[in-house]
Amino acid sequence: MTQRGRRTVRDLRRGNRSALLRHLYFEGPLSRQELAGHTGLSSGSVSNVVGDLIGDGVVEEAGSVESDGGRPRVLLQVARRNGYLIGVDVGETRVRVALFDLALTELATADHPLSDSGHDVGQVVSLVLKGLTAVVREAGIDQAAVVGVGVGVPGIVEQGDDGPVVHGQTIGWDAVPLGALLRDGTSMPLHVDNGAKTLGQAEMWFGAGRGARNAVIALLGSGVGACVVADGKPYRGATSSAGEWGHTTLRVGGRRCRCGARGCLEAYVGAEALVERWGGAPEGASEEAAIAALLRAADEDDASARALLDETAEYLGAGISDLVNLFNPELIVLSGWTGLMIGPRLLPAVREATAAYSLRHPWDRASVELGRLGPDAVTVGAATLPLARFLDAGGAGAHGRDRVAGTTDFEPAS
């Protein structure tokens, strides 16, 4: 009974630390009095917990503000250099690694294009590990100060006995034990999740989705994915594969998709598909350069480019209407590098097509917006995986190897 009581006290203390830390992180700087009002904790509890957080170097003073008739109130904030976060985007054409402080200020990056061997597992693991070493060296920090590494990957991520396992049908990965392979090359704590889901967490915490409780964050890159958020939490399904929006059927018997099926949405609106369908890109151009050329051609009144973009807007609207009718979101965010390139031009037509294909009642209460975190938001999102662990642990004991992706509530403050 005594041992059980000690566990309960410890858990309560960690819960209080986590609650205060989350409020300071997402809403700070705040005073002790404001923290008590936000969390419902007594002023004594707040003072004790804040004292511990300051003593541990997790929280620091950030000036003061005048109070009504009393002494100035000291403001508190999370100490941004108390630790560091690394985000990794295993994309379709490159591996990008970025190191951030706790405020998600980018301090160092490493970009490695994928060679002709594509997503050869050994090559990807090697590039990730090479990138980790490079950003730590560039930032000039001790590796022990890294709270954790988040990795966003294409495909379905499930938790295996030895860590995260990736099923990436479009890149030829079948039950790849990515967690174990990376763990053999680094001692830094690892967290792995689907790239669209990491993007979704970033947009919900810091971008266009902030404040929404029911949303879909759509990633349009070389491929297409989505993160479905229901009542403030990510919806993952029975095997964490929910959100494979790109592989919903748009046209029966249609174009062959990279997954092997026919008529998938991705086979019509993903960057790889757009470049193939247009056929007018400069020889040897990257996908980004090809999409930029497509947009320029449309601006110059090229009939084939304009027709392709018009059709793409309708396809996107039809695909979004499926999300509206199935999940009843209040918000759909178009993000990913392709989405942000074509979105400003296509958004009005996409909204019009969505309205035409959706049921009126749920569409009347929904909106389609562009993401706000830029083309590298998957990297930022990946870094939120160890950040979530840091906040959940109250800034302490955040260096464990347990994977946190899939357990995080997307609501910034709890």
Side-chain angles (χ1 to χ4, degrees):
M1 291 295 290
T2 304
Q3 184 178 7
R4 180 180 301 174
R6 284 201 299 268
R7 278 202 306 269
T8 301
V9 170
R10 184 172 65 246
D11 290 344
L12 179 61
R13 191 171 189 80
R14 186 175 72 170
N16 289 343
R17 283 177 62 112
S18 177
L20 291 180
L21 196 59
R22 278 179 169 268
H23 279 284
L24 281 176
Y25 189 86
F26 291 106
E27 301 168 31
L30 296 171
S31 67
R32 289 172 174 80
Q33 292 87 344
E34 289 171 318
L35 282 171
H38 284 305
T39 62
L41 296 174
S42 69
S43 58
S45 294
V46 169
S47 292
N48 288 336
V49 174
V50 165
D52 288 345
L53 290 170
I54 291 176
D56 292 341
V58 178
V59 167
E60 62 188 9
E61 294 185 355
S64 61
V65 292
E66 295 296 327
S67 61
D68 296 333
R71 293 189 304 173
R73 294 183 176 182
V74 175
L75 295 177
L76 305 167
Q77 65 184 11
V78 174
R80 63 170 57 204
R81 296 298 173 93
N82 175 259
Y84 300 89
L85 309 162
I86 296 179
V88 180
D89 176 11
V90 178
E92 301 285 352
T93 60
R94 64 172 181 166
V95 172
R96 183 174 194 271
V97 182
L99 184 143
F100 305 85
D101 64 19
L102 288 178
L104 286 177
T105 301
E106 190 176 278
L107 303 176
T109 61
D111 279 280
H112 299 291
L114 289 169
S115 70
D116 291 340
S117 56
H119 287 81
D120 173 79
V121 175
Q123 182 199 24
V124 170
V125 169
S126 175
L127 292 179
V128 171
L129 294 175
K130 182 179 178 181
L132 296 181
T133 300
V135 296
V136 169
R137 183 187 302 118
E138 181 184 341
I141 65 168
D142 187 339
Q143 179 177 299
V146 176
V147 171
V149 178
V151 184
V153 297
I156 299 164
V157 179
E158 68 172 349
Q159 183 66 17
D161 293 339
D162 294 322
V165 175
V166 182
H167 306 272
Q169 194 163 316
T170 60
I171 60 172
W173 285 14
D174 184 14
V176 171
L178 187 63
L181 293 172
L182 290 173
R183 192 166 60 236
D184 286 342
T186 182
S187 60
M188 290 183 280
L190 295 165
H191 313 270
V192 182
D193 203 355
N194 170 268
K197 291 183 173 64
T198 73
L199 170 70
Q201 179 155 290
E203 285 286 357
M204 292 298 291
W205 279 12
F206 308 110
R210 188 170 173 85
R213 293 188 60 80
N214 295 279
V216 179
I217 314 300
L219 185 158
L220 274 68
S222 296
V224 176
C227 174
V228 179
V229 180
D231 197 21
K233 296 179 173 61
Y235 177 71
R236 294 181 174 271
T239 59
S240 199
S241 67
E244 290 293 334
W245 178 51
H247 302 291
T248 55
T249 303
L250 183 66
R251 178 179 292 179
V252 173
R255 297 184 81 247
R256 179 73 70 181
C257 180
R258 298 181 303 164
C259 73
R262 287 191 177 275
C264 293
L265 178 67
E266 182 175 299
Y268 292 90
V269 304
E272 182 176 304
L274 287 175
V275 174
E276 289 177 358
R277 291 171 62 214
W278 181 39
E283 186 175 352
S286 66
E287 285 184 352
E288 290 92 337
I291 296 298
L294 169 63
L295 293 169
R296 283 196 304 272
D299 288 339
E300 294 166 0
D301 231 12
D302 180 288
S304 64
R306 290 176 65 90
L308 176 61
L309 290 176
D310 288 345
E311 186 178 57
T312 299
E314 184 165 13
Y315 283 151
L316 264 177
I320 292 171
S321 75
D322 289 340
L323 299 174
V324 171
N325 294 340
L326 283 170
F327 299 109
N328 189 204
E330 64 196 278
L331 175 68
I332 301 96
V333 177
L334 290 181
S335 194
W337 69 265
T338 304
L340 295 179
M341 285 186 74
I342 67 175
R345 179 189 181 93
L346 300 189
L347 194 57
V350 168
R351 288 171 175 153
E352 184 177 343
T354 304
Y357 288 102
S358 298
L359 292 171
R360 287 192 301 273
H361 184 74
W363 172 241
D364 285 345
R365 290 153 179 79
S367 64
V368 181
E369 308 293 341
L370 293 179
R372 298 178 185 171
L373 299 182
D376 296 320
V378 172
T379 316
V380 178
T384 68
L385 301 180
L387 174 59
R389 169 67 175 172
F390 175 82
L391 296 175
D392 287 345
H399 295 269
R401 290 192 175 275
D402 54 311
R403 169 176 163 270
V404 298
T407 62
T408 302
D409 191 323
F410 282 6
E411 295 175 285
S414 57

